[in-house]
Amino acid sequence: MAAHFGRRLRKGAATTAVAAAAVAALSASQAPGATGDDHGRQATAGASAPVPDPTGDDATGNSPYYTDLPPLNSPNPSPSPSAGTPVAQGAAEAGIPATVLDAYKKAEAELRASKPGCNLPWQLLAAIGKVESGQARGGEVDASGTTLRPILGPVLDGNGFALIKDTDHGAYDGNAQYDQAVGPMQFIPSTWAWAGRDGNGDGKKDPNNIYDAALAAGHYLCRGDRDLSQAADLHGAILGYNNSQDYLNTVLSWMEYYSKGTYSVPDGTGTAPGHRSDDGTPRTTPSTPAEPANPHQGKPGSKDQGGRPSPSPTPSKPGGGQDGGDPAPRPPGTPDPTTPTPTDTVDHLENAGTATAELTATAGDAFTGTISTRAETKAGAAVAKVRIRFTISGDTDATFTGGEDVATVATDSKGVAKAPALQAGEKTGDFKVTATVVGRSLKGVDYQATVTERPADTLTATTNGDTPLTCTPGGEFADQVQLKATYKGAVADKVAATATLLKSATDATENDKGPYFKDATTGKAVRTLTGLKTDAKGLLTLPKLYADDTTGTFLLRVTTPGGGTLTVQLRVAADGTATASPSPSPSASAGS
């Protein structure tokens, strides 16, 4: 069996230099060149000036991870071995369980369609899946991609790990006291609450399902308009997943390894890593694995709708004193779980100066105002390092930067958390952003925001000029009216417009005779059209106009938000000299 370089690398025990050297040695030992699956790029071995995720909302809660590095020999993408067939280590490490590999590739395809600028390679998801769970314990998943046994990280009770008190009432991790990372991509419940995705189309967002978890990981990595083909964005995304330089180097090494060749192996036959960042010992599996409650089937522990009883919080990753014995010794500097955390001291949230007037934007534009919330004690003192969750609700397609409708941000030294910038969608109207404290049931702070319609202040007719449109009573106008919309001299695209055939210049109510449009479904005469929109060039072509038996001059008026108005004179004559021409200040009345 080929040797692993730095096989017992430990978080905190190995320096960044050692980790970087390990990756460099790996890179030097492998022949250059990549398969077509790496999209023409290879991961940079060492990290340069890595920047952690700015939101303070890492995916895993900085839970422990597997530190095993790839073999020094290049992978050998040979045909998939059958179950039980011995293979060389390099070939075994290159094999990824079929369902797990399919989930990674499907997630890549979805992200390349929805966020093409992110350039997410599936090899990055595979690298993170290897480091977080050993590819779902070597592919221990059912046909739908759900793990056969729970994969839980250590209890994040501050005893050697981060201190994150329960945020999901045990729905995902079965622990109503503290959070634990869950599933093959190891999301903590508070992050899954906003990052979760339905990757297999079953209507659920389950962190224990590899399709859901892989797609969620992809969207998580692609936040904030990242381009993962750029080293700085790639490193920042990985550090956002788990803020450790050693973790970054380990993930990059597996990403490069998988980029040089891999293949699928039967589910359940993949190789599982054995060394971890918290203690370096091989993983242990509880004799009676617990099954967390299904959050989609009633409350944890209930029997309603097929729900399962809530399990004891036994992790399938070692650590956290969950074997019934004494807790593991707490390293110096780690928080005492009995001591109140900053989150425990928060009494209420306050609006930190956001004015409602600042939260208005035109459809498709970015909001210029920023939502800020301050966490305070009962005495009004600021509370730093508290996770504030901002949630968008209402009938809206507005999002935060990066396309999410939920974002979590840690308060700064002044107790203030600023939500990411809001981006208006195409739906107009009011919506709400609510700020709450993660892990507490305190009253939130609501912020009202508004998306207004795209405006146009000028409408100009572009068809026919002074050339008459011919029509006789009972006929149809030969040409369609076209106009162009502008706003402050610039093209006004996607602007809503209303077209109405008026009774007269002084009576803007809808006419009941003369020219008309046809309803697209019934073919009946209609004299008001709504829901019209200009195209990308600001142009709008109205449907065909028809004439009844009434002769005379008639008025068609088109209006837009922002004050744009165009009035067109239409004339129907028995001799066929009907015309359609723009009239900025019409004086003729209908039917004259």
Side-chain angles (χ1 to χ4, degrees), residues 68-419:
D68 301 59
L69 290 172
L72 295 179
N73 56 302
S74 297
N76 177 23
S78 58
S80 301
S82 59
T85 303
V87 293
Q89 184 185 19
E93 293 286 9
I96 298 177
T99 299
V100 177
L101 180 59
D102 184 57
Y104 296 149
K105 291 187 175 182
K106 278 184 166 56
E108 178 199 58
E110 196 279 340
L111 265 297
R112 288 195 176 275
S114 62
K115 296 184 179 179
C118 179
N119 293 307
L120 172 79
W122 67 259
Q123 290 89 345
L124 174 57
L125 296 176
I128 290 176
K130 179 72 171 181
V131 169
E132 292 295 346
S133 69
Q135 312 297 20
R137 293 199 193 96
E140 291 186 1
V141 296
D142 62 19
S144 67
T146 301
T147 57
L148 300 179
R149 295 175 293 155
I151 301 177
L152 296 177
V155 177
L156 299 176
D157 60 0
N159 187 24
F161 309 106
L163 176 57
I164 303 179
K165 294 191 176 181
D166 175 64
T167 62
D168 67 330
H169 305 291
Y172 292 112
D173 54 15
N175 190 333
Q177 287 186 294
Y178 301 98
D179 273 352
Q180 295 174 249
V182 180
M185 302 303 278
Q186 288 291 277
F187 278 96
I188 56 174
S190 60
T191 300
W192 184 260
W194 62 264
R197 291 292 191 281
D198 177 13
N200 60 355
D202 64 356
K204 302 176 183 178
K205 299 177 182 178
D206 183 2
N208 300 293
N209 181 278
I210 186 59
Y211 288 98
D212 294 358
L215 183 58
H219 277 277
Y220 181 93
L221 294 164
C222 286
R223 289 184 301 159
D225 298 324
R226 286 177 176 140
D227 178 359
L228 300 184
S229 66
Q230 302 299 315
D233 283 357
L234 174 64
H235 297 171
I238 296 171
L239 287 169
Y241 214 90
N242 193 316
N243 189 19
S244 161
Q245 179 73 48
D246 294 342
Y247 180 88
L248 171 65
N249 290 331
T250 306
V251 169
L252 287 175
S253 68
W254 279 108
M255 179 180 170
E256 182 177 19
Y257 182 76
Y258 287 137
S259 295
K260 291 179 181 294
T262 190
Y263 55 92
S264 65
V265 298
D267 290 343
T269 65
T271 60
H275 300 85
R276 295 163 40 81
S277 59
D278 53 340
D279 59 10
T281 60
R283 65 185 290 161
T284 59
T285 302
S287 56
T288 306
E291 293 191 16
N294 188 336
H296 308 287
Q297 296 179 331
K299 295 180 180 179
S302 70
K303 293 288 186 178
D304 61 310
Q305 301 181 34
R308 289 176 240 167
S310 179
S312 59
T314 303
S316 38
K317 288 184 182 179
Q322 289 299 304
D323 58 358
D326 294 331
R330 187 167 60 252
T334 58
D336 184 342
T338 63
T339 302
T341 65
T343 300
D344 294 329
T345 67
V346 177
D347 177 76
H348 60 275
L349 296 177
E350 294 284 350
N351 183 336
T354 302
T356 302
E358 298 175 347
L359 299 180
T360 299
T362 300
D365 289 351
F367 284 76
T368 56
T370 301
I371 294 177
S372 298
T373 300
R374 176 180 159 94
E376 297 182 353
T377 65
K378 191 172 184 178
V383 185
K385 299 181 180 179
V386 174
R387 288 151 61 92
I388 305 298
R389 179 175 295 144
F390 297 94
T391 305
I392 297 173
S393 60
D395 183 19
T396 179
D397 55 356
T399 64
F400 293 113
T401 300
E404 307 293 346
D405 57 11
V406 180
T408 305
V409 182
T411 57
D412 60 18
S413 60
K414 296 180 180 179
V416 174
K418 294 183 178 180

Side-chain angles (χ1 to χ4, degrees), residues 25-40:
L26 169 71
S27 301
S29 69
Q30 295 177 328
T35 69
D37 285 335
D38 70 352
H39 314 290

